Amino acid sequence: MGEPLQFSCMKFDDLYWTFCSWGFALKPEYYQRFKVYFEDMLVRRRVIGFQNEDGLMAVLTYFITRDHHTLANKPEFATPQDDELGTEIYIDKMVCKKWNLSLRRAMQDMIETTFPNVQMGFWHRQPDNRCVVTYKRGTKYAGKNTK
């Protein structure tokens, strides 16, 4: 997987139609709210794209926090303030062309490199809202009581 993608030259509509080509289904009545949400996340530098030789492969939006529970039940397109020095990353939205192990590893590598304070990652995977938890390499049991 190549370098994280910069979105400065891409228009929202182009990106949205790319998502649609991947099977991303957004009800028409949510389009404007999603656009405002996404553009706000871009301004806040909370969007990461991943590409390889075939082009764009995934886009995710995220928050850095000390307590992911405060974000897990937020309104769908809300963009609350986060904590730049937090120890958790909360993946709010993720759209992928195809989810696979190399993409997952590229995401983890980039997060660990970019956010050295982050120890854990959280993502509520659709459609069943299952909470997926990942740990920074070498820290899975750090700080836990092992009695």
Side-chain angles (χ1 to χ4, degrees), residues 10-50:
M10 191 173 256
K11 293 182 181 175
F12 175 80
D13 285 339
D14 297 329
L15 191 57
Y16 176 75
W17 287 113
T18 299
F19 292 167
C20 290
S21 74
W22 295 348
F24 175 72
L26 182 68
K27 293 180 181 177
E29 60 267 25
Y30 294 150
Y31 175 85
Q32 190 60 38
R33 289 182 16 208
F34 179 65
K35 180 178 181 178
V36 169
Y37 162 86
F38 195 84
E39 289 174 344
D40 185 36
M41 295 299 275
L42 278 172
V43 168
R44 293 174 58 185
R45 301 180 69 184
R46 292 292 185 250
V47 179
I48 301 169
F50 294 88

Side-chain angles (χ1 to χ4, degrees), residues 1 22 32 36 42 44 49 51 60 64 68 88 97 110 113 116 126-128 142:
M1 204 61 46
W22 295 348
Q32 190 60 38
V36 169
L42 278 172
R44 293 174 58 185
Q51 61 186 353
L60 61 88
I64 304 296
H68 75 279
E88 300 175 357
K97 185 174 185 177
M110 188 283 314
T113 302
Q126 296 300 328
D128 300 321

Side-chain angles (χ1 to χ4, degrees), residues 4 48 50 60 105-115:
I48 301 169
F50 294 88
L60 61 88
R105 286 181 177 156
M107 288 179 178
Q108 185 167 2
D109 289 344
M110 188 283 314
I111 289 167
E112 289 180 0
T113 302
T114 306
F115 305 105

Side-chain angles (χ1 to χ4, degrees), residues 46-107:
R46 292 292 185 250
V47 179
I48 301 169
F50 294 88
Q51 61 186 353
N52 65 13
E53 62 279 352
D54 296 328
L56 186 63
M57 299 304 290
V59 176
L60 61 88
T61 61
Y62 63 94
F63 297 96
I64 304 296
T65 184
R66 293 181 193 273
D67 180 13
H68 75 279
H69 294 290
T70 62
L71 298 168
N73 296 313
K74 71 172 187 58
E76 186 171 9
F77 297 112
T79 58
Q81 290 302 309
D82 57 356
D83 181 352
E84 189 78 29
L85 300 176
T87 57
E88 300 175 357
I89 187 167
Y90 180 76
I91 307 301
D92 193 35
K93 311 261 186 269
M94 180 169 24
V95 183
C96 300
K97 185 174 185 177
K98 182 180 179 187
W99 181 250
N100 57 40
L101 186 57
S102 66
L103 179 58
R104 185 220 174 274
R105 286 181 177 156
M107 288 179 178

